């Protein structure tokens, strides 16, 4: 992509003075849209944020029946309804495939009359040193007080890296291990000398020539990809069924039931539609003879084209290689997904398609792929510099429709090589290189951490079989799992009952790597958690709830993150010693599997029997009834929070979740009272120097688990406390329950101390 004349002059050729504040972005809509038409990297992305903010307001606008006159925004919403209706179905899919992203933005701007009511500029820019001699961060902030039809316009902030090709600097990156922390960036790594003009379609001959160059480079030069090119043994694993795309002499498309086949690609796509041409019991015989290309959804047709163009013989597509509506075939094939993805030659990802009819390929403007190269004069000389969004990988790839699907995460993580067919360009990933058409020799290390994290897991997963994991590698794998769970819970699942199945492939791969001394045995997987250091892993918490889907089948125990519908934050598995108050009882884990030979798949039931300290009553306050986090009221100025797993209104009276309006006169809100099982706490190291002891730890909030069974509980949420001291620590300890006080609630045991209780968590 280019940099428009306005941005070049106002942002890159007028030196920024020390202490200078913010500079305005475009002051007129006409100037801004002309820059979008010219595919300016900065203006186009900011305009996309602008469009999203406008559409969010329209989506949230409610129409009152007694309003005599609709607002301008309401009138416009009615106007756009007819346009959206015309683009439904096939017409909308065709529009998506054949119109460039910039043209779509301009079409929307021409239709949206609400834009005329907004006073520009909406963005203001400021500059920040990025830690190098010629490296900067250009930050765009929304102008304060923006309104559309009296509604606030909530625009996304956006930053861009601006760096010279020979720039060198250091950055501190938080991570689980020292090897992830400090990196010296030398950007002389393939950054473009000038803006790259691309063919008008990602289906072009030049695009596929670039793809072939990446494959050749990977096969011939990449030492870290050596395991991908080892000669396949005669008995190498292959999927049960594959699609034979034929040869140039005999391009017949058909399904084959395999014994031993050559390399294959697989198509990674978002369903979003109900393709009628599927592998079913009734079509199996037909597909074994021939598959009619014209009857396939567009994405499948494009995958066949790409597979043939790259000279690969076989293709795997789930809808055509797994028997649909066949439970027995699904239970047999689903546990093999790790092998399907991990043994593939190449993955074709239709990242920008909303459904399987929108295809792999897109039209684009010739200069419409980021990043950009421009001349920067902020010092004493002109410097040819790259301008790239700070969150490039997340913004250009991971935020696209395909990667919002929960099932796709394991496909993305386990595939050795991926081609991401994005709306502006094709991007490449292998264990050695991340590249795109605009920077074919490889993205600079200054690009966001998401890409570096993906590169690291691909290197670990696809290293040579003879290569042993180092201590650093094992620490990084632990971090890979933690981040995988967090990313996974941010994605969507059509059926929440698939929560364990849709990540089972990653879990199976991790299980093969997580081995315990002294006998190097595989670690036991427990419905999303791991048996080693299990107590520490119970400290997951919900960051944001999703809408609950009431499904009758059992999913996971309440102590596993897989039991909730929401974005989950997972703690790191610590390697230092910690004092655990909670002790797992011998044989305390009960977890019967739905399928005995699939330990990472679905389960029938689970319980966890533990010895703990119980605390009751603990009272928490929130101004909102259905808030995620609640504040402990046991002591002033004490940092102690309760993070609920579900909104309080989802619980039944029998679950004994006590919520009522706060009776105090000082504040309006709600009070929640609960029990807690302490998991771990310890004195803070810093408090030894001060002489004043402070304590940090966490506990599980509990609710009744089974009516009539006093020692059976379910998890209600996570309680976390930090640096408790003095009155705060004393108040918490005063809530500790002894067995003598609660004989009717806890099973007595003469060989335990008075403050220890044995409970079962369901």
């Amino acid at each position: 992509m280019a940099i428009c004349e306005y941005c070049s002059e106002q942002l890159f050729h007028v030196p920024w003075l020390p202490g200078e504040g913010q500079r305005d972005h475009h002051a007129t809509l006409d100037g801004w849209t002309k820059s979008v038409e010219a595919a300016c990297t900065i203006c186009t992305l900011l305009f996309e944020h602008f469009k999203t903010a406008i559409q969010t307001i329209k989506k949230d606008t409610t129409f009152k029946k007694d309003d005599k006159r609709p607002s301008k925004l309401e009138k416009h919403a009615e106007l756009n309804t007819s346009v959206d209706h015309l683009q439904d179905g096939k017409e909308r899919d065709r529009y998506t495939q054949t119109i460039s992203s910039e043209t779509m933005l301009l079409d929307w701007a021409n239709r949206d009359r609400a834009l005329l009511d907004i006073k520009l500029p909406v963005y203001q820019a400021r500059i920040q040193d990025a830690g190098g001699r010629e490296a900067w961060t250009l930050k765009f902030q929304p102008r304060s007080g923006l309104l559309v039809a009296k509604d606030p316009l909530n625009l996304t902030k956006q930053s861009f890296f601006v760096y010279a090709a020979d720039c060198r600097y250091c950055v501190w990156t938080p991570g689980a291990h020292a090897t992830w922390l400090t990196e010296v960036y030398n950007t002389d790594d393939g950054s473009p000398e000038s803006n790259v003009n691309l063919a008008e379609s990602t289906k072009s001959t030049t695009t596929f020539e670039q793809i072939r160059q990446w494959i050749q480079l990977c096969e011939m030069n990449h030492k870290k990809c050596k395991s991908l090119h080892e000669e396949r043994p005669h008995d190498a694993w292959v999927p049960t069924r594959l699609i034979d795309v034929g040869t140039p002499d005999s391009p017949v498309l058909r399904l084959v039931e395999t014994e031993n086949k050559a390399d294959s690609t697989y198509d990674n796509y978002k369903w979003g539609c109900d393709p009628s041409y599927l592998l079913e019991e009734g079509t199996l015989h037909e597909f074994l003879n021939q598959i009619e290309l014209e009857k396939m959804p567009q994405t499948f047709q494009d995958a066949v084209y790409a597979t043939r163009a790259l000279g690969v013989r076989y293709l795997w597509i789930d809808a055509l290689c797994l028997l649909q509506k066949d439970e027995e075939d699904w239970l047999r094939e689903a546990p093999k997904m790790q092998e399907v993805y991990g043994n593939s030659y190449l993955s074709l990802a239709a990242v920008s398609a909303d459904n399987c009819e929108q295809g792999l390929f897109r039209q684009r403007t010739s200069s419409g792929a980021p990043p950009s190269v421009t001349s920067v004069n902020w010092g004493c000389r002109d410097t040819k510099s790259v301008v790239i969004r700070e969150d490039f990988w997340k913004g250009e790839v991971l935020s696209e429709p395909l990667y919002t699907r929960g099932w796709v995460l394991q496909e993305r993580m386990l595939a050795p090589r991926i081609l991401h067919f994005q709306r502006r360009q094709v991007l490449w990933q292998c264990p050695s290189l991340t590249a795109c058409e605009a920077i074919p020799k490889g993205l600079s290390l200054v690009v966001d951490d998401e890409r570096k994290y993906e590169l690291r897991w691909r290197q670990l997963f696809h290293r040579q079989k003879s290569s042993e994991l180092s201590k650093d590698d094992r620490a990084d794998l632990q971090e890979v799992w933690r981040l995988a769970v967090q990313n996974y819970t941010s994605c969507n699942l059509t059926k929440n009952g698939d929560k364990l199945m849709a990540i089972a492939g990653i879990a199976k791969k991790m299980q093969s790597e997580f081995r315990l001394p002294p006998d190097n045995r595989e670690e036991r997987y427990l419905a999303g958690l791991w048996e080693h250091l299990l107590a520490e892993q119970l400290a997951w918490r919900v960051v944001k709830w999703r809408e609950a889907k009431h499904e009758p089948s059992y999913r996971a125990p309440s102590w596993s993150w897989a039991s909730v519908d929401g974005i989950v934050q997972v703690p790191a598995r610590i390697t230092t010693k910690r004092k655990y108050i909670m002790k797992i009882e011998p044989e305390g884990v009960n977890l019967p599997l739905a399928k005995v030979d699939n330990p990472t798949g679905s389960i029938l039931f689970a319980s966890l029997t533990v010895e703990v300290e119980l605390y009751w009553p603990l009272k928490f306050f929130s101004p909102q009834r259905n808030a995620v986090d609640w504040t402990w009221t046991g002591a002033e100025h004490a940092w102690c929070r309760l993070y609920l797993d579900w909104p309080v209104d989802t619980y039944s009276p029998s679950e004994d979740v006590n919520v009522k309006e706060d009776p105090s006169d000082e504040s309006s809100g709600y009070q929640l009272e609960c029990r807690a099982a302490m998991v771990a706490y310890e004195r803070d190291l810093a408090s030894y120097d001060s002489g004043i002891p402070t304590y940090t730890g966490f506990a599980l909030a509990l609710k009744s688990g089974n009516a009539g069974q006093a020692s059976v509980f379910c998890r209600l949420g996570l309680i976390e406390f930090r640096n408790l001291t003095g009155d705060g620590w004393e108040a918490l300890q005063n809530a500790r329950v002894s067995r003598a006080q609660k004989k009717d609630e806890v099973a007595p045991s003469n060989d335990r101390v008075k403050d220890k209780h044995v409970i079962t968590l369901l």
Side-chain angles (χ1 to χ4, degrees), residues 93-119:
D93 294 338
R94 195 179 305 112
Y95 179 83
T96 302
Q97 295 173 63
T98 57
I99 304 298
S100 71
S101 295
E102 292 75 25
T103 303
M104 288 183 191
L105 280 175
L106 295 172
D107 285 352
W108 172 79
N110 290 332
R111 293 194 309 266
D112 204 313
R113 299 174 185 175
L115 298 179
L116 302 177
D117 296 332
I118 300 173
K119 184 179 179 181

Side-chain angles (χ1 to χ4, degrees), residues 250-281:
S250 178
V252 177
L253 198 66
R254 65 188 183 91
L255 187 71
V256 293
E257 293 180 324
T258 62
E259 293 180 2
N260 183 41
K261 300 297 179 186
D263 294 327
S264 63
T265 63
Y266 78 86
D267 188 22
N268 187 342
Y269 64 96
K270 183 176 180 181
W271 276 73
C273 65
D274 185 17
S276 57
Y277 205 50
L278 300 169
L279 178 63
E280 297 177 316
E281 195 65 43

Side-chain angles (χ1 to χ4, degrees), residues 211-223:
I211 293 171
R212 292 186 195 96
Q213 288 179 21
W214 283 326
I215 293 173
Q216 184 179 23
L217 182 68
C218 181
E219 292 180 343
M220 302 296 292
N221 293 15
H222 289 170
K223 292 181 180 179

Side-chain angles (χ1 to χ4, degrees), residues 494-506:
T494 304
K495 298 178 181 178
N496 283 326
D498 291 340
K499 202 68 169 267
L500 290 173
M501 285 299 296
I503 200 174
I506 302 173

Side-chain angles (χ1 to χ4, degrees), residues 232-238 259-261 343:
R232 293 170 62 91
H234 178 72
D235 59 349
W237 189 93
V238 290
E259 293 180 2
N260 183 41
K261 300 297 179 186
N343 286 285

Side-chain angles (χ1 to χ4, degrees), residues 294-364:
E294 296 75 15
K295 291 185 178 180
M296 297 168 70
Q298 188 61 49
T299 302
F300 299 1
Q301 294 185 40
D302 290 349
V304 170
Y305 176 90
T307 302
R308 288 170 171 170
L310 296 175
V312 180
R313 181 71 182 269
Y314 298 99
L315 171 67
W316 189 91
I317 300 174
D318 56 359
L320 299 178
C321 294
L322 301 177
L323 279 171
Q324 307 300 308
K325 305 174 186 177
D326 188 315
E327 187 73 14
E328 184 179 338
D329 192 69
W330 168 246
L331 291 175
R332 182 171 55 252
E333 295 298 321
K336 303 176 184 177
M337 291 301 102
Q338 177 215 348
E339 302 290 351
V340 172
Y341 309 137
N343 286 285
S344 66
Y345 178 71
L346 184 65
S347 169
L348 310 172
V351 300
S352 296
D354 273 319
N355 59 57
C356 57
E357 289 290 356
Q358 290 187 359
L360 282 177
F361 308 120
R362 292 290 182 274
Q363 292 295 115
R364 59 189 174 189

Side-chain angles (χ1 to χ4, degrees), residues 524-697:
R524 188 182 178 191
Y525 181 69
L526 304 174
L529 308 178
W530 301 93
E531 190 169 36
H532 183 55
L533 297 178
L534 175 59
E536 186 72 27
Q537 296 169 75
L538 299 176
W540 58 267
R541 68 177 180 89
V542 176
V543 177
K544 184 180 180 181
W545 292 315
R546 292 182 179 277
E547 185 177 351
K549 299 174 184 177
H550 301 287
E551 298 171 355
S553 59
Y554 183 80
R555 189 200 313 180
S558 68
W559 40 270
S560 166
W561 54 262
S563 67
V564 302
D565 295 334
I567 301 173
V568 170
Q569 188 177 86
V570 182
R573 296 174 74 189
I574 61 168
T575 55
T576 57
K577 291 183 178 179
R578 173 176 281 189
K579 180 182 177 183
Y580 295 102
I581 308 303
M582 174 183 284
K583 307 291 184 184
I584 312 295
E585 289 288 283
E587 307 298 325
V589 179
N590 179 25
L591 194 139
L593 301 170
K595 203 163 183 264
V596 177
D597 60 351
N598 185 19
T600 62
S602 298
I603 61 173
L604 299 175
F605 174 78
S607 65
L608 181 64
T609 303
V610 294
E611 181 189 78
V612 294
E613 293 178 358
L614 288 179
Y615 292 72
W616 184 85
L618 296 180
K619 297 180 179 180
F620 296 85
F621 170 82
S622 172
Q624 287 88 35
R625 180 176 174 84
N626 276 317
V628 172
D629 57 298
W630 297 61
T631 303
W632 185 46
T633 60
E636 279 192 90
H637 310 301
W639 198 100
C640 181
R641 300 284 189 273
L642 164 64
Y643 302 97
L644 290 176
D645 294 344
W646 296 88
V648 294
D649 287 342
T650 62
Y651 295 110
S652 65
S654 64
E655 292 176 291
D656 195 27
V657 180
N658 185 9
V659 180
K660 58 186 178 182
E661 289 191 23
D662 187 23
S664 67
D665 296 330
E666 298 179 2
S667 59
S668 61
Y670 297 87
Q671 188 181 90
L672 184 151
E673 183 178 287
C674 68
R675 293 180 180 82
M678 186 65 69
V679 179
Y681 64 78
E682 58 190 352
R683 183 171 174 178
D684 300 311
L685 291 176
S687 71
Y688 286 98
D689 295 332
S690 66
I692 302 174
T694 63
Y695 297 87
T696 294

Side-chain angles (χ1 to χ4, degrees), residues 742-754:
K742 288 283 180 182
K743 284 184 179 179
D744 59 327
E745 294 192 25
V746 181
S749 177
N750 294 329
D751 61 346
R752 302 182 190 276
V753 296
K754 68 175 183 177

